[in-house]
Amino acid sequence: MAPRRTVRRPERDGALDQAGRGRTRRPPARHTAEVEDAYADLDLPALVVWGREDTWLPLERGERLAAALLWARLHPLTGAGHLVQEDAPAELTAALLDFLA
């Protein structure tokens, strides 16, 4: 049997941002910048779902991503931060179902 992995939850460890959400150290910008040139080569529909209150990667990054993708649609979620799946699960599900319909 594989060992059980423990997921570190910053909010339980006392590392909270101003909104009370967990924060971890930001990865260097090079981790996303190194693939940005390839976005224009993607020829497929894409839905970019972004939290309007994301303090880690602000909405402007999502706007840039959607603009760089040929067939992308941006769907900002009000009331959601970086973890949209936790902050607004019903709204995320609705956006995905609409996109896939």
Side-chain angles (χ1 to χ4, degrees):
M1 178 173 11
R4 186 173 180 199
R5 290 179 46 189
T6 302
V7 177
R8 183 177 178 273
R9 302 285 304 192
E11 65 273 16
R12 293 188 186 141
D13 296 337
L16 300 176
D17 65 8
Q18 293 173 351
R21 294 182 179 91
R23 294 280 300 243
T24 57
R25 187 175 58 85
R26 293 181 189 198
R30 65 180 164 83
H31 290 306
T32 55
E34 64 192 17
V35 297
E36 285 181 4
D37 290 340
Y39 293 162
D41 296 334
L42 297 174
D43 188 13
L44 67 158
L47 178 66
V48 177
V49 180
W50 213 274
R52 286 189 185 274
E53 285 73 41
D54 190 339
T55 58
W56 190 331
L57 296 171
L59 181 57
E60 292 78 27
R61 288 289 298 265
E63 291 168 345
R64 281 194 351 234
L65 172 59
L69 294 167
L70 185 61
W71 301 106
R73 179 172 35 156
L74 177 65
H75 188 96
L77 292 180
T78 301
H82 189 69
L83 299 175
V84 294
Q85 70 276 16
E86 290 185 15
D87 296 338
E91 294 85 352
L92 173 60
T93 301
L96 292 171
L97 289 173
D98 180 58
F99 176 72
L100 295 171

